[in-house]
Amino acid sequence: MLEGVVVAPGLRTLGIARQLIELLASEMAVADIRTVHAIADGGDVVFLLACGFELQAGRPSALTLEVRPTRP
C-alpha cells in the first residue's frame, strides 16, 4: 500500500512525483502486479490521469453532503 505521494510546493515542477509513479509501475512489473487502485484528494485526479491512471466507470465514488444550518 502506498499512502500518498506528497511533494513540497517548491519542488513540484521537477517531476519528482511523476518519477515516483514511474518507479512504482516498474516495481509492479517486476512483482507481476498488474493493477493498482488510487483514491485522489483535491485536484490530484488530474495528476494521476496524466501519469496513466484511468477513471473507473462503475466503481464507487467517495461523496460528501454537507448540510449547513439555515439562518432564521
Coordinates of all heavy atoms in Angstrom, one line a residue:
M1 N 0.8 -1.2 0.0 CA 0.0 0.0 0.0 C 0.9 1.2 0.0 O 1.9 1.3 0.8 CB -0.9 0.0 1.2 CG -1.7 1.3 1.4 SD -2.7 1.3 2.8 CE -4.3 1.4 2.1
L2 N 0.6 2.2 -0.9 CA 1.3 3.4 -0.9 C 0.3 4.5 -0.3 O -0.8 4.7 -0.8 CB 1.6 3.8 -2.4 CG 2.3 5.1 -2.6 CD1 3.6 5.2 -1.9 CD2 2.4 5.4 -4.1
E3 N 0.7 5.1 0.7 CA -0.1 6.1 1.4 C 0.3 7.5 1.0 O 1.0 8.2 1.8 CB 0.0 5.9 2.9 CG -0.8 6.9 3.7 CD -2.3 6.8 3.5 OE1 -2.8 5.8 3.2 OE2 -2.9 7.9 3.5
G4 N 0.0 7.9 -0.2 CA 0.2 9.2 -0.6 C 1.6 9.5 -1.2 O 2.6 8.9 -0.8
V5 N 1.6 10.4 -2.1 CA 2.9 11.0 -2.7 C 2.7 12.5 -2.5 O 1.9 13.1 -3.1 CB 3.0 10.6 -4.2 CG1 4.2 11.3 -4.8 CG2 3.1 9.1 -4.4
V6 N 3.5 13.0 -1.6 CA 3.5 14.4 -1.3 C 4.8 15.1 -1.6 O 5.8 14.6 -1.2 CB 3.1 14.7 0.2 CG1 3.1 16.1 0.5 CG2 1.8 14.0 0.6
V7 N 4.7 16.1 -2.4 CA 6.0 16.8 -2.8 C 5.8 18.3 -2.4 O 4.8 18.9 -2.6 CB 6.2 16.7 -4.4 CG1 7.4 17.5 -4.8 CG2 6.3 15.2 -4.8
A8 N 6.9 18.8 -1.8 CA 6.8 20.2 -1.4 C 6.5 21.1 -2.6 O 7.0 20.9 -3.7 CB 8.2 20.6 -0.8
P9 N 5.7 22.2 -2.3 CA 5.3 23.0 -3.4 C 6.5 23.6 -4.3 O 6.3 23.6 -5.5 CB 4.6 24.2 -2.7 CG 4.1 23.6 -1.4 CD 5.1 22.6 -1.0
G10 N 7.6 23.9 -3.7 CA 8.7 24.4 -4.5 C 9.4 23.4 -5.4 O 10.1 23.8 -6.3
L11 N 9.1 22.1 -5.1 CA 9.8 21.1 -5.9 C 8.8 20.4 -6.9 O 9.2 19.5 -7.6 CB 10.3 20.0 -5.0 CG 11.3 20.5 -3.9 CD1 11.7 19.4 -3.0 CD2 12.5 21.1 -4.6
R12 N 7.6 20.8 -7.0 CA 6.6 20.1 -7.8 C 6.9 20.2 -9.3 O 6.5 19.4 -10.0 CB 5.2 20.7 -7.5 CG 4.8 20.3 -6.1 CD 3.4 20.7 -5.8 NE 3.1 20.2 -4.4 CZ 2.1 20.7 -3.7 NH1 1.3 21.7 -4.2 NH2 1.9 20.3 -2.5
T13 N 7.5 21.2 -9.7 CA 7.8 21.3 -11.2 C 9.0 20.5 -11.6 O 9.3 20.4 -12.8 CB 8.1 22.8 -11.6 OG1 9.2 23.3 -10.8 CG2 6.8 23.7 -11.3
L14 N 9.7 19.8 -10.7 CA 10.8 19.0 -11.0 C 10.4 17.6 -11.5 O 11.3 16.9 -12.0 CB 11.8 18.8 -9.8 CG 12.3 20.1 -9.3 CD1 13.2 19.9 -8.1 CD2 13.2 20.8 -10.4
G15 N 9.2 17.2 -11.4 CA 8.7 15.9 -11.8 C 9.0 14.8 -10.9 O 9.0 13.6 -11.2
I16 N 9.3 15.1 -9.6 CA 9.6 14.1 -8.6 C 8.5 13.1 -8.4 O 8.7 11.9 -8.4 CB 10.0 14.7 -7.3 CG1 11.3 15.5 -7.4 CG2 10.1 13.7 -6.2 CD1 11.7 16.4 -6.2
A17 N 7.2 13.6 -8.3 CA 6.1 12.7 -8.1 C 5.9 11.8 -9.3 O 5.6 10.6 -9.1 CB 4.8 13.5 -7.8
R18 N 6.0 12.3 -10.5 CA 5.9 11.5 -11.7 C 7.0 10.4 -11.7 O 6.7 9.3 -12.1 CB 6.0 12.4 -12.9 CG 5.7 11.7 -14.2 CD 5.7 12.6 -15.4 NE 4.9 13.7 -15.3 CZ 3.6 13.8 -15.6 NH1 3.0 12.8 -16.1 NH2 2.9 14.9 -15.5
Q19 N 8.2 10.8 -11.3 CA 9.2 9.7 -11.2 C 8.9 8.6 -10.2 O 9.2 7.5 -10.5 CB 10.6 10.4 -10.9 CG 11.1 11.3 -12.0 CD 12.4 12.0 -11.5 OE1 13.1 11.6 -10.6 NE2 12.6 13.2 -12.1
L20 N 8.3 9.0 -9.1 CA 7.9 8.0 -8.1 C 6.8 7.1 -8.7 O 6.8 5.9 -8.5 CB 7.4 8.7 -6.8 CG 8.4 9.4 -6.0 CD1 7.7 10.2 -4.9 CD2 9.4 8.4 -5.4
I21 N 5.9 7.6 -9.4 CA 4.8 6.8 -10.1 C 5.5 5.9 -11.1 O 5.1 4.7 -11.2 CB 3.7 7.7 -10.7 CG1 3.0 8.5 -9.7 CG2 2.7 6.8 -11.5 CD1 2.2 7.8 -8.7
E22 N 6.4 6.4 -11.9 CA 7.1 5.5 -12.8 C 7.9 4.4 -12.2 O 7.9 3.3 -12.6 CB 8.1 6.4 -13.7 CG 7.4 7.3 -14.6 CD 8.3 8.3 -15.3 OE1 9.5 8.3 -15.0 OE2 7.8 9.1 -16.1
L23 N 8.5 4.7 -11.0 CA 9.2 3.7 -10.2 C 8.2 2.6 -9.7 O 8.5 1.4 -9.7 CB 10.0 4.3 -9.1 CG 11.3 5.0 -9.5 CD1 11.9 5.8 -8.3 CD2 12.3 4.0 -10.1
L24 N 7.1 3.1 -9.3 CA 6.0 2.2 -8.8 C 5.6 1.3 -9.9 O 5.5 0.0 -9.7 CB 4.8 3.0 -8.3 CG 3.5 2.2 -8.0 CD1 3.8 1.3 -6.8 CD2 2.4 3.1 -7.7
A25 N 5.4 1.8 -11.1 CA 5.0 1.0 -12.2 C 6.1 0.0 -12.6 O 5.8 -1.2 -12.9 CB 4.7 1.9 -13.5
S26 N 7.3 0.4 -12.5 CA 8.4 -0.5 -12.8 C 8.5 -1.7 -11.8 O 8.6 -2.9 -12.1 CB 9.7 0.2 -12.7 OG 10.8 -0.6 -12.9
E27 N 8.3 -1.4 -10.5 CA 8.3 -2.4 -9.5 C 7.1 -3.3 -9.6 O 7.2 -4.5 -9.3 CB 8.4 -1.8 -8.1 CG 9.7 -1.1 -7.8 CD 10.9 -2.1 -7.8 OE1 10.8 -3.3 -7.3 OE2 11.9 -1.8 -8.4
M28 N 6.0 -2.7 -10.0 CA 4.8 -3.6 -10.2 C 5.1 -4.6 -11.3 O 4.7 -5.8 -11.1 CB 3.6 -2.7 -10.7 CG 3.0 -1.9 -9.6 SD 1.7 -0.7 -10.2 CE 0.6 -1.8 -11.0
A29 N 5.7 -4.2 -12.4 CA 6.1 -5.2 -13.4 C 7.0 -6.3 -12.9 O 6.8 -7.5 -13.2 CB 6.7 -4.4 -14.6
V30 N 8.0 -5.9 -12.1 CA 8.9 -6.9 -11.5 C 8.1 -7.9 -10.6 O 8.4 -9.1 -10.7 CB 10.0 -6.2 -10.7 CG1 10.8 -7.2 -9.9 CG2 10.9 -5.4 -11.7
A31 N 7.2 -7.4 -9.8 CA 6.4 -8.2 -8.9 C 5.2 -8.9 -9.5 O 4.4 -9.5 -8.8 CB 6.0 -7.4 -7.7
D32 N 5.0 -8.7 -10.8 CA 3.8 -9.2 -11.6 C 2.5 -8.7 -11.0 O 1.6 -9.4 -10.9 CB 3.9 -10.7 -11.6 CG 3.0 -11.2 -12.7 OD1 2.8 -10.5 -13.8 OD2 2.4 -12.4 -12.6
I33 N 2.5 -7.4 -10.5 CA 1.3 -6.8 -10.1 C 0.7 -6.0 -11.3 O 1.4 -5.2 -11.8 CB 1.5 -5.9 -8.9 CG1 2.0 -6.7 -7.7 CG2 0.3 -5.1 -8.5 CD1 2.5 -5.8 -6.5
R34 N -0.5 -6.3 -11.7 CA -1.0 -5.8 -12.9 C -1.9 -4.5 -12.7 O -2.0 -3.7 -13.6 CB -1.8 -6.8 -13.7 CG -0.9 -8.0 -14.1 CD -1.7 -9.1 -14.7 NE -1.0 -10.3 -14.9 CZ -0.3 -10.6 -16.0 NH1 -0.2 -9.7 -17.0 NH2 0.4 -11.7 -16.1
T35 N -2.5 -4.4 -11.5 CA -3.4 -3.3 -11.3 C -3.3 -2.7 -9.9 O -3.1 -3.4 -9.0 CB -4.9 -3.8 -11.5 OG1 -5.0 -4.4 -12.7 CG2 -5.9 -2.7 -11.4
V36 N -3.3 -1.4 -9.9 CA -3.4 -0.7 -8.6 C -4.6 0.3 -8.7 O -5.0 0.7 -9.7 CB -2.1 0.1 -8.2 CG1 -0.9 -0.8 -8.0 CG2 -1.8 1.1 -9.2
H37 N -5.1 0.6 -7.5 CA -6.2 1.5 -7.4 C -5.8 2.7 -6.6 O -5.0 2.6 -5.7 CB -7.5 0.8 -6.8 CG -7.9 -0.4 -7.5 ND1 -8.8 -0.3 -8.6 CD2 -7.6 -1.7 -7.4 CE1 -9.0 -1.5 -9.1 NE2 -8.3 -2.4 -8.4
A38 N -6.3 3.9 -7.0 CA -6.0 5.1 -6.3 C -7.2 5.9 -5.9 O -8.2 5.8 -6.6 CB -5.1 5.9 -7.2
I39 N -7.1 6.5 -4.8 CA -8.1 7.5 -4.4 C -7.4 8.8 -4.3 O -6.4 9.0 -3.6 CB -8.7 7.1 -3.0 CG1 -9.4 5.7 -3.1 CG2 -9.7 8.2 -2.5 CD1 -9.9 5.2 -1.8
A40 N -7.9 9.8 -5.0 CA -7.3 11.1 -5.1 C -8.0 12.1 -4.2 O -9.3 12.1 -4.2 CB -7.2 11.6 -6.5
D41 N -7.3 13.0 -3.6 CA -7.9 14.0 -2.8 C -7.6 15.4 -3.5 O -6.5 15.6 -4.0 CB -7.2 14.0 -1.4 CG -7.9 14.9 -0.4 OD1 -9.0 15.4 -0.7 OD2 -7.3 15.2 0.6
G42 N -8.6 16.2 -3.5 CA -8.4 17.6 -4.1 C -8.2 17.5 -5.6 O -8.9 16.7 -6.3
G43 N -7.3 18.2 -6.1 CA -7.0 18.3 -7.6 C -6.1 17.2 -8.1 O -5.6 17.3 -9.2
D44 N -5.8 16.2 -7.2 CA -4.8 15.3 -7.6 C -5.2 14.3 -8.7 O -4.4 13.5 -9.2 CB -4.3 14.5 -6.4 CG -3.6 15.4 -5.4 OD1 -3.0 16.4 -5.8 OD2 -3.6 15.0 -4.2
V45 N -6.5 14.3 -9.0 CA -7.0 13.4 -10.1 C -6.4 13.7 -11.4 O -6.0 12.9 -12.1 CB -8.6 13.5 -10.2 CG1 -9.1 12.8 -11.4 CG2 -9.2 13.0 -8.9
V46 N -6.2 15.0 -11.7 CA -5.6 15.4 -12.9 C -4.2 14.9 -13.0 O -3.8 14.4 -14.1 CB -5.6 17.0 -13.1 CG1 -4.9 17.5 -14.3 CG2 -7.1 17.5 -13.1
F47 N -3.4 15.0 -11.9 CA -2.1 14.5 -11.9 C -2.0 13.0 -12.2 O -1.3 12.5 -13.0 CB -1.4 14.8 -10.6 CG -0.1 14.1 -10.4 CD1 1.0 14.5 -11.1 CD2 0.0 13.0 -9.6 CE1 2.2 13.8 -11.0 CE2 1.2 12.3 -9.4 CZ 2.3 12.7 -10.1
L48 N -2.9 12.2 -11.5 CA -2.9 10.8 -11.7 C -3.3 10.4 -13.1 O -2.8 9.5 -13.7 CB -3.8 10.1 -10.7 CG -3.3 10.2 -9.2 CD1 -4.4 9.6 -8.3 CD2 -2.0 9.4 -9.1
L49 N -4.3 11.1 -13.7 CA -4.7 10.9 -15.1 C -3.5 11.1 -16.0 O -3.3 10.4 -17.0 CB -5.9 11.8 -15.5 CG -7.2 11.4 -14.8 CD1 -8.2 12.5 -15.1 CD2 -7.7 10.0 -15.2
A50 N -2.7 12.2 -15.7 CA -1.5 12.5 -16.6 C -0.5 11.4 -16.4 O 0.4 11.2 -17.3 CB -0.9 13.8 -16.2
C51 N -0.5 10.7 -15.3 CA 0.5 9.6 -15.1 C 0.0 8.3 -15.7 O 0.7 7.3 -15.5 CB 0.8 9.5 -13.6 SG 1.8 10.8 -12.9
G52 N -1.1 8.2 -16.2 CA -1.6 7.0 -16.9 C -2.8 6.3 -16.1 O -3.3 5.3 -16.6
F53 N -3.2 6.8 -15.0 CA -4.3 6.2 -14.3 C -5.6 6.5 -15.1 O -5.6 7.5 -15.9 CB -4.5 6.8 -12.9 CG -3.6 6.2 -11.9 CD1 -2.2 6.6 -11.8 CD2 -4.0 5.2 -11.0 CE1 -1.4 6.1 -10.8 CE2 -3.2 4.7 -10.0 CZ -1.9 5.1 -9.9
E54 N -6.6 5.7 -15.0 CA -7.8 5.9 -15.7 C -9.0 5.9 -14.7 O -8.9 5.2 -13.7 CB -8.1 4.8 -16.7 CG -7.0 4.7 -17.8 CD -7.2 3.6 -18.8 OE1 -8.2 2.8 -18.6 OE2 -6.4 3.4 -19.7
L55 N -10.0 6.8 -15.0 CA -11.2 6.8 -14.1 C -11.9 5.5 -14.3 O -12.0 5.0 -15.5 CB -12.1 8.0 -14.4 CG -11.5 9.3 -14.0 CD1 -12.5 10.4 -14.5 CD2 -11.3 9.4 -12.5
Q56 N -12.4 4.9 -13.3 CA -13.1 3.6 -13.4 C -14.6 3.8 -13.4 O -15.2 4.1 -12.4 CB -12.7 2.7 -12.2 CG -11.2 2.4 -12.1 CD -10.9 1.5 -13.3 OE1 -11.4 0.4 -13.4 NE2 -9.9 1.9 -14.1
A57 N -15.2 3.6 -14.5 CA -16.6 3.7 -14.7 C -17.2 2.6 -13.9 O -16.7 1.5 -13.9 CB -17.0 3.7 -16.1
G58 N -18.3 2.8 -13.2 CA -19.0 1.8 -12.5 C -18.4 1.5 -11.1 O -18.9 0.7 -10.4
R59 N -17.3 2.2 -10.8 CA -16.7 2.0 -9.4 C -17.3 3.0 -8.5 O -17.7 4.1 -8.9 CB -15.2 2.2 -9.5 CG -14.4 1.3 -10.4 CD -14.1 0.0 -9.8 NE -13.4 0.2 -8.6 CZ -13.1 -0.8 -7.7 NH1 -13.5 -2.0 -8.0 NH2 -12.4 -0.5 -6.7
P60 N -17.4 2.6 -7.2 CA -18.0 3.6 -6.3 C -17.1 4.9 -6.1 O -15.9 4.8 -6.3 CB -17.9 2.8 -4.9 CG -17.5 1.5 -5.2 CD -17.0 1.4 -6.6
S61 N -17.7 6.0 -5.9 CA -17.0 7.2 -5.7 C -17.2 7.7 -4.2 O -18.3 7.5 -3.7 CB -17.5 8.3 -6.6 OG -17.3 7.9 -8.0
A62 N -16.3 8.3 -3.7 CA -16.4 8.9 -2.3 C -17.2 10.2 -2.5 O -16.8 11.1 -3.2 CB -15.1 9.1 -1.7
L63 N -18.3 10.3 -1.8 CA -19.1 11.6 -1.9 C -19.3 12.1 -0.5 O -19.3 11.4 0.5 CB -20.4 11.2 -2.5 CG -20.4 10.6 -3.9 CD1 -21.7 10.1 -4.3 CD2 -19.8 11.6 -4.9
T64 N -19.6 13.4 -0.4 CA -19.9 14.1 0.9 C -21.0 15.0 0.6 O -21.1 15.7 -0.4 CB -18.6 14.9 1.4 OG1 -17.6 14.0 1.6 CG2 -19.0 15.6 2.7
L65 N -21.9 15.0 1.6 CA -23.0 16.0 1.6 C -23.0 16.8 2.9 O -23.0 16.2 3.9 CB -24.4 15.3 1.5 CG -25.6 16.2 1.6 CD1 -25.7 17.2 0.5 CD2 -26.9 15.4 1.7
E66 N -22.8 18.1 2.8 CA -22.7 18.9 3.9 C -24.0 19.7 4.0 O -24.4 20.4 3.0 CB -21.5 19.9 3.9 CG -20.2 19.2 4.1 CD -19.1 20.2 4.3 OE1 -19.3 21.4 4.7 OE2 -18.0 19.9 3.9
V67 N -24.7 19.7 5.1 CA -25.9 20.5 5.3 C -25.6 21.6 6.2 O -25.1 21.4 7.4 CB -27.0 19.6 5.9 CG1 -28.3 20.4 6.1 CG2 -27.3 18.4 5.0
R68 N -25.7 22.8 5.7 CA -25.4 24.0 6.5 C -26.6 24.4 7.2 O -27.7 24.4 6.6 CB -24.8 25.1 5.6 CG -23.5 24.7 5.0 CD -22.8 25.8 4.3 NE -21.5 25.4 3.8 CZ -21.3 24.9 2.6 NH1 -22.2 24.8 1.7 NH2 -20.0 24.6 2.2
P69 N -26.5 24.9 8.5 CA -27.7 25.4 9.2 C -28.3 26.6 8.5 O -27.5 27.4 7.9 CB -27.2 25.7 10.6 CG -25.7 25.5 10.6 CD -25.3 24.9 9.2
T70 N -29.6 26.6 8.4 CA -30.2 27.8 7.8 C -30.3 28.9 8.8 O -30.5 28.7 10.0 CB -31.6 27.4 7.3 OG1 -32.4 26.9 8.4 CG2 -31.6 26.4 6.2
R71 N -30.2 30.1 8.4 CA -30.3 31.3 9.3 C -31.8 31.7 9.3 O -32.5 31.7 8.3 CB -29.5 32.4 8.7 CG -28.0 32.1 8.7 CD -27.2 33.2 8.3 NE -25.8 32.8 8.2 CZ -24.9 33.6 8.0 NH1 -25.1 34.9 7.7 NH2 -23.6 33.2 7.9
P72 N -32.3 32.0 10.5 CA -33.7 32.4 10.7 C -33.9 33.8 10.1 O -33.2 34.6 9.8 CB -33.9 32.5 12.2 CG -32.5 32.4 12.8 CD -31.6 32.0 11.8

